[in-house]
Amino acid sequence: MTKPAEVTSPERELAARVDALKKEVQVAMRDLNRARGALESMTRAGDFASDAAKVAEALRDLRRSSLEALGLEDERVALVGELDAHFEREKTRARMMLLGELDRALRADGGRLEHLGDQPLTLGVGPLTLTIDLLARRATLSYAREALAEVDADAQTILSALSEARAAIQDRALESEVFFEQLERAYRVQLAMMGLPDGERVDLVDLLVPLSLVDADLAARRKKGLDALTPWPRYLLAYQLQRLRRDGLLERQGRRLDLGTATGGSTKNKQDVLFVPGPGTDGQYYLSLRFQSVPGTPGS
């Protein structure tokens, strides 16, 4: 039996129209409130130069809003265009001044800047990488894709951070022969903790704690226990592995170090893998490590 068509009452039609208009007003109010908040934020900032990052964030909100409901949409579009042009000019000016100062200072010291990218502005300074947010006036210094410091983006502060980063690496770094031995000891500690036999793979990042353990002074360990341990940072492990490869010391005294490349899904979580720089701007993510005896050597 065919079900009769439902008759829509005048009251229901009116209720539907009320609901539809309510939704339209809600959409319009969201746009108006977003635009109002953005304009108020810009007004509070006052001097665009001193708080450019805050103004730029407000501009993003103003750009995705609408003032059509107030008949001010043309004014909004025009203002967004003028602000965009202003910030582009400021970024260009700040970039030229900062890069000029950095380049002159580095060349005077025998170094140089290498341009690596623009979104964001990324520079190479020897093995270190400098990423600069020109609007926020902040710079991040990193090695092997690991952040070392975040500082104000002015030339003198950046140069000081570069000097401190180099010193921090050199102060902790070991000669390759010594590090090879330390790394194998840390590997054996990790095998023991996992109940694995020699030659099995362990995750590289799991060696950071054992490295801090074997690197600690014996007397200090006895006196202070765990308080004697100085954390072994990821960037330092990457640096030492890169140095081992550069020095041709992946094999020593009948033992060979084998690094396992991170592939596919294993690189999604960057905390589980380690980027080891190669020549120039090249490099590779690695997941695991193992030591093996070289066939034909005593004890193999």
Side-chain angles (χ1 to χ4, degrees):
M1 181 176 181
T2 304
K3 185 178 181 180
E6 184 178 346
V7 178
T8 303
S9 68
E11 290 84 359
R12 287 187 177 179
E13 289 182 356
L14 281 172
R17 289 171 59 190
V18 168
D19 186 61
L21 182 57
K22 179 198 72 172
K23 291 177 180 177
E24 290 181 12
V25 170
Q26 287 175 332
V27 171
M29 289 302 297
R30 278 200 299 268
D31 274 333
L32 292 175
N33 288 331
R34 184 183 296 119
R36 182 186 65 183
L39 292 167
E40 287 178 347
S41 181
M42 291 182 190
T43 302
R44 285 194 299 269
D47 180 7
F48 286 4
S50 63
D51 208 348
K54 184 176 180 180
V55 176
E57 182 178 354
L59 176 57
R60 285 193 287 271
D61 284 339
L62 185 61
R63 185 181 293 112
R64 62 191 185 93
S65 64
S66 171
L67 293 179
E68 193 71 47
L70 297 180
L72 296 173
E73 181 62 4
D74 289 345
E75 288 82 350
R76 182 195 69 84
V77 172
L79 180 58
V80 167
E82 292 174 20
L83 288 168
D84 280 336
H86 167 77
F87 282 120
E88 280 304 312
R89 289 193 299 270
E90 285 301 300
K91 284 170 64 176
T92 299
R93 183 187 64 82
R95 174 186 176 124
M96 291 177 64
M97 289 183 60
L98 179 59
L99 296 193
E101 290 182 59
L102 287 174
D103 188 56
R104 286 191 294 272
L106 289 169
R107 286 183 183 276
D109 198 33
R112 68 184 183 90
L113 280 177
E114 181 181 2
H115 179 263
L116 301 178
D118 286 306
Q119 299 297 331
L121 176 60
T122 306
L123 308 167
V125 186
L128 302 177
T129 301
L130 190 61
T131 306
I132 302 175
D133 185 332
L134 291 167
L135 283 180
R137 298 185 178 183
R138 297 292 288 173
T140 301
L141 185 62
S142 59
Y143 173 78
R145 303 184 183 179
E146 301 290 336
L148 305 180
E150 183 178 335
V151 298
D152 290 337
D154 67 83
Q156 194 53 54
T157 302
I158 289 174
L159 291 168
S160 296
L162 285 168
S163 178
E164 291 171 5
R166 293 190 188 104
I169 292 175
Q170 293 302 322
D171 287 348
R172 289 289 307 275
L174 303 170
E175 293 297 324
S176 288
E177 293 85 353
V178 176
F179 177 70
F180 188 99
E181 296 176 3
Q182 295 276 59
L183 185 61
E184 185 172 10
R185 289 168 62 196
Y187 168 72
R188 292 187 184 280
V189 169
Q190 186 63 20
L191 287 180
M193 288 195 297
M194 298 179 68
L196 296 174
D198 185 39
E200 289 295 315
R201 290 192 175 277
V202 300
D203 285 357
L204 262 178
V205 296
D206 288 340
L207 293 177
L208 294 170
V209 173
L211 275 168
S212 66
L213 178 64
V214 301
D215 193 41
D217 178 73
L218 177 58
R221 288 206 310 266
R222 288 179 176 176
K223 183 177 180 180
K224 299 181 180 180
L226 293 178
D227 290 338
L229 305 186
T230 300
W232 192 280
R234 291 169 58 95
Y235 73 81
L236 186 58
L237 177 54
Y239 173 80
Q240 296 277 193
L241 290 171
Q242 185 271 342
R243 193 170 172 181
L244 275 181
R245 301 184 75 173
R246 183 197 67 190
D247 294 343
L249 276 174
L250 295 180
E251 183 178 315
R252 188 168 186 268
Q253 296 180 344
R255 295 286 283 177
R256 178 184 297 131
L257 167 60
D258 176 31
L259 290 170
T261 303
T263 58
S266 63
T267 62
K268 289 182 179 179
N269 188 345
K270 296 299 186 288
Q271 289 303 304
D272 293 339
V273 295
L274 191 73
F275 184 82
V276 179
T281 58
D282 294 336
Q284 174 71 54
Y285 279 105
Y286 290 94
L287 175 65
S288 64
L289 170 154
R290 66 179 174 182
F291 280 86
Q292 292 180 302
S293 296
V294 179
T297 57
S300 63

